[in-house]
Amino acid sequence: MQTDDLIVSLAGDARPVRRLAAPWMRLLSWLVVAVPWMVAVVLIMSPRQDLGDKLNDPRWVLEQAAALATALTAAMAAFCSGVPGRPRWEHVLPLPPFALWVGLLGVGCVQTWLQAGPEGLDFRPDWICFPGIVFVGIGPGVAMVAMLRRGAPLAPVLSTALGALAAAALADFGLRFFHAQDASLMVLVWQVGTVVLLTMLAAMAGPYVVRWRHVAGR
Amino acid sequence: MQAEGTGERLTELMRAALDGDAAAYARLLKEVTPIIRRLAKSRSTGSADAEDMVQDVLLSLHAVRRTYDPARPLMPWLMVIARHRVADFQRRQVRQKRNEVAVDVLPETSSEDRTNISNSAPGDPEELLRAIAGLPPGQRQAVELLKLREMSLKEASAASGMSVAALKVAMHRAMKFLRTVLSH
């Protein structure tokens, strides 16, 4: 086919197009789906007994704030990555809150070490974190994939990694409302570890999840 | 100054195109094609490749035109897509070339006609047509466009509305089905 014929064919397909909303609007739309899902799972699993105490614990609140900020900035970065021509610095938006989150947990580990010695660092298997985060994150994750597919797949690996980080960080935020595990080392290894693992798996699946529409035939 | 004026005109055309103005869209695509072609030629090894890249970029622009924000200038949006698609095209070509072996003369299995009978016999055309008619609609259309009408993948894609990938999959499945049916 000649390029001129292709242009005629594409112009023939011209019709009013519903434009993609601004990334912050898409972030709000995502939260409209993700937050009720998260709240529903927390209620189904029953909120932890000591939730009232935890809400007055500055360290717990700060860690939760960092996890939530990681989720929000990662979602924003994921939506920005699907819009051609936007600045690249937006891709690293979740790095500061993620660093703060890991840093807070790291400081918690050091403080425990200093106060109680190596024996104080309570470390044991806590396998429930993985299915817990997957369960809370599945709704936000599916919504995220559906929304990422509406953007331009310029960087499939990056977009899906950011999207997965958003869903998994939000899931961990929700998990800590019903899973009473606050030891810094445990949270760092089992919860943040799960978030990182899911982000890496999503990044690997990125080229299959987010593709060019005319190539993928959608 | 002139480039700025051109950029603004293209942005205006894109805004009109997004509102469904086919004439503005055709004019926009015609005006950006030489810009895309220049980029493609600077990255390609042959003129046919360059034109394939141009068409690939045009299809991509069309596919993601909803991501354009009318409040922003058009050219940065367009050039990001063009550069990405040209790079994708080059990567695909490198992968394909890695699996190809260039030969001047195709090797013969034997100089004796007798031993090649099974390969060169035309078979029963009626049986083949019946088998094609038995294919699912998508696969039948792929065979008709790609094999009977000898269209390229891009031409068949434009004619059928199916994507190139979907055509390849349909063709692969159709050939598998035909091979099974005709071998019995």
Side-chain angles (χ1 to χ4, degrees), chain B residues 39-70:
Chain B
L39 173 73
K41 278 189 177 159
S42 69
R43 309 271 179 93
S44 74
T45 49
S47 59
D49 286 351
E51 217 44 39
D52 279 350
M53 284 186 197
V54 171
Q55 296 193 7
D56 214 24
V57 172
L58 290 174
L59 285 164
S60 303
L61 291 179
H62 183 72
V64 299
R65 64 195 188 284
R66 72 157 79 93
T67 64
Y68 173 64
D69 177 358

Side-chain angles (χ1 to χ4, degrees), chain A residues 47-111:
Chain A
R48 54 197 286 182
Q49 301 291 321
D50 60 347
L51 186 57
D53 297 338
K54 284 291 149 192
L55 290 173
N56 290 317
D57 176 356
R59 212 190 83 195
W60 189 86
V61 171
L62 209 54
E63 286 171 9
Q64 284 291 73
L68 185 61
T70 301
L72 297 178
T73 49
M76 184 74 179
F79 295 136
C80 288
S81 71
V83 181
R86 288 194 70 98
R88 283 179 177 230
W89 61 262
E90 291 173 337
H91 298 169
V92 295
L93 272 176
L95 281 186
F98 184 71
L100 176 67
W101 188 18
V102 173
L104 284 168
L105 293 167
V107 168
C109 292
V110 172
Q111 281 175 343

Side-chain angles (χ1 to χ4, degrees), chain B residues 111-180:
Chain B
S111 57
E112 293 286 325
D113 285 345
R114 188 169 44 82
T115 54
N116 288 327
I117 287 172
S118 62
N119 291 335
S120 57
D124 182 354
E126 286 299 318
E127 194 185 350
L128 178 61
L129 288 175
R130 273 199 302 279
I132 291 173
L135 288 167
Q139 293 177 24
R140 192 168 61 238
Q141 194 181 21
V143 172
E144 280 169 1
L145 296 177
L146 293 171
K147 297 293 175 191
L148 304 184
R149 289 164 65 183
E150 296 183 334
M151 285 182 173
S152 70
L153 277 167
K154 276 211 171 77
E155 288 167 342
S157 171
S160 64
M162 291 166 75
S163 69
V164 169
L167 276 168
K168 281 183 185 171
V169 171
M171 194 63 223
H172 174 74
R173 287 180 181 159
M175 292 305 282
K176 202 171 163 191
F177 176 81
L178 292 175
R179 221 172 275 134
T180 313

Side-chain angles (χ1 to χ4, degrees), chain A residues 1 3 13 17 19 214-215, chain B residues 18-19 51 55 62 155 163 165:
Chain A
M1 186 187 242
T3 303
D13 190 30
V17 176
R19 286 152 209 177
H214 67 270
V215 176
Chain B
L18 289 176
D19 289 334
E51 217 44 39
Q55 296 193 7
H62 183 72
E155 288 167 342
S163 69

